[in-house]
Amino acid sequence: MSKRPDTKETVLLALELMRRIPRGRKITAKELHEQLADTEVGRDLRTIQRQLEMLSEYFDIERDDRNKPYGYCWKERSKGLALPMLTEQESLLLTLAEQNLRSLLPASLMKSMEGFFTQARANLAPYSNAKREREWLKKVRVVSTTQPLLPPRIKPGVFEQVSNALYANQWLVVDYENVAGKRTQAEVMPLGLAQQGPRLYLVCRFQGYDNERSLALHRIHTANASTLTFERPKDFDLEKYDNDGRFGFGDGKRILLTFRIEKEAGFHLLESPLSEDQQVKELGDVFEITATVIESEQLEWWLRGFGEKVSHVGIRATSPSGNIR
């Protein structure tokens, strides 16, 4: 008898489900359906429910049917399924990625990766043999260069809708309130997502306009991804947008900046220059710094932060080619 045409797909789905079923906690068919939604083995909810029923009959998978929705997990002391497992090094990498990239990955992708993250955490658990990898998590940290602030609250559902629309190139309908308290409802084209300190910003184009704006996610009251898609503009580059100082409240205008700063306060600029063309002169107990930078409010705030330690600030405009005017 010949194999049914969908035998391969059915087996792949079963293997993927067994790999994602956790130990020590239960997972529902709906959760697994969401995890698999954007993968090659994604199926409708009823198909996944039938697969789970079958798997719980033939493998050491416990089905908790006391309440709906049913929950599934590997039975205690079960060896599970002998599938290729994440190595300790891969588990460490995934755990660090989950901790630091959660705000920069689409919500749908994070859900589809939940099985990997769960396995990675289990591989680094106290009862595992991955002692060095587990200890590494306590040996590294991303630290802030400014006064640490708590992230502003993003309203429920906003990040999911924004990140998924950005991922799928879908138009997005937002209800946004600016810093002055004015609310606007608009349809926008999501082009980029940036994390600046504790805040997240959506770079977008409003319908009917060809310029970009940055919207703070915590000021979005509601966001809904449209079913309509768009062609991503070829003239937009998020890296260039950032390099032009747009997240520092600038418009891309380059200037030749000159200032003097007390040596103790400015020594770090010898190690981390403001620009590739930075020049430094020693004048007694101060450095005179000259560098081509983007003119922005962020630059102004940075200079003001040094107080009286900075003096003789001078600004000269440059041409698009970088020459001084």
Side-chain angles (χ1 to χ4, degrees), residues 85-309:
M85 299 289 287
L86 293 171
T87 67
E88 288 83 357
Q89 293 77 22
E90 291 168 339
S91 298
L92 175 60
L93 178 61
L94 274 175
T95 302
L96 287 172
E98 182 185 22
Q99 292 175 357
N100 296 290
L101 300 180
R102 179 173 291 276
S103 298
L104 298 179
L105 291 173
S108 59
L109 181 58
M110 287 297 296
K111 286 184 178 179
S112 71
M113 291 286 291
E114 183 58 36
F116 293 103
F117 293 138
T118 299
Q119 183 181 339
R121 290 192 295 269
N123 289 350
L124 301 181
Y127 55 76
S128 71
N129 295 324
K131 180 180 179 181
R132 291 183 179 178
E133 288 76 15
R134 185 168 58 252
E135 290 178 344
W136 185 258
L137 294 174
K138 297 181 179 180
K139 294 180 178 179
V140 294
R141 187 172 180 83
V142 177
V143 297
S144 174
T145 58
T146 61
Q147 172 62 37
L149 301 173
L150 294 176
R153 294 182 181 275
I154 297 175
K155 294 176 176 58
V158 168
F159 176 77
E160 288 78 6
Q161 290 290 318
V162 168
S163 61
N164 290 340
L166 176 63
Y167 183 67
N169 291 330
Q170 293 173 310
W171 284 92
L172 188 68
V173 180
V174 298
D175 178 0
Y176 183 76
E177 182 176 352
N178 66 15
V179 69
K182 180 182 177 181
R183 288 181 66 164
T184 303
Q185 291 189 349
E187 191 169 7
V188 301
M189 178 189 295
L191 299 175
L193 189 65
Q195 182 171 350
Q196 186 179 54
R199 301 185 176 210
L200 284 173
Y201 290 91
L202 170 69
V203 183
C204 62
R205 288 184 182 178
F206 279 63
Q207 188 178 47
Y209 294 85
D210 59 2
N211 63 317
E212 292 80 33
R213 293 180 58 184
S214 297
L215 304 182
L217 256 66
H218 63 277
R219 297 199 190 108
I220 297 178
H221 287 271
T222 60
N224 292 286
S226 168
T227 56
L228 300 177
T229 60
F230 60 86
E231 287 291 331
R232 187 172 175 83
K234 295 181 179 179
D235 60 343
F236 175 74
D237 186 324
L238 184 61
E239 182 178 3
K240 184 178 185 301
Y241 186 88
D242 181 24
N243 291 339
D244 285 344
R246 299 295 295 275
F247 293 115
F249 306 99
D251 58 7
K253 180 181 177 182
R254 294 184 176 276
I255 58 172
L256 187 70
L257 173 69
T258 302
F259 62 94
R260 293 180 182 178
I261 184 170
E262 294 180 10
K263 285 186 174 180
E264 184 176 349
F267 183 79
H268 68 286
L269 295 175
L270 276 62
E271 302 170 322
S272 302
L274 283 167
S275 67
E276 293 290 342
D277 67 351
Q278 174 177 293
Q279 296 181 9
V280 180
K281 292 182 181 179
E282 290 192 50
L283 302 175
D285 58 353
V286 301
F287 293 124
E288 184 177 78
I289 308 292
T290 303
T292 301
V293 296
I294 297 293
E295 185 178 37
S296 66
E297 291 184 27
Q298 189 176 52
L299 174 64
E300 185 176 345
W301 297 336
W302 180 76
L303 288 170
R304 287 182 178 178
F306 291 105
E308 296 180 354
K309 296 179 180 180

Side-chain angles (χ1 to χ4, degrees), residues 45-56:
L45 179 59
R46 183 56 191 147
T47 298
I48 290 177
Q49 289 173 334
R50 287 196 298 266
Q51 283 282 348
L52 290 172
E53 291 173 5
M54 181 272 294
L55 293 174
S56 62

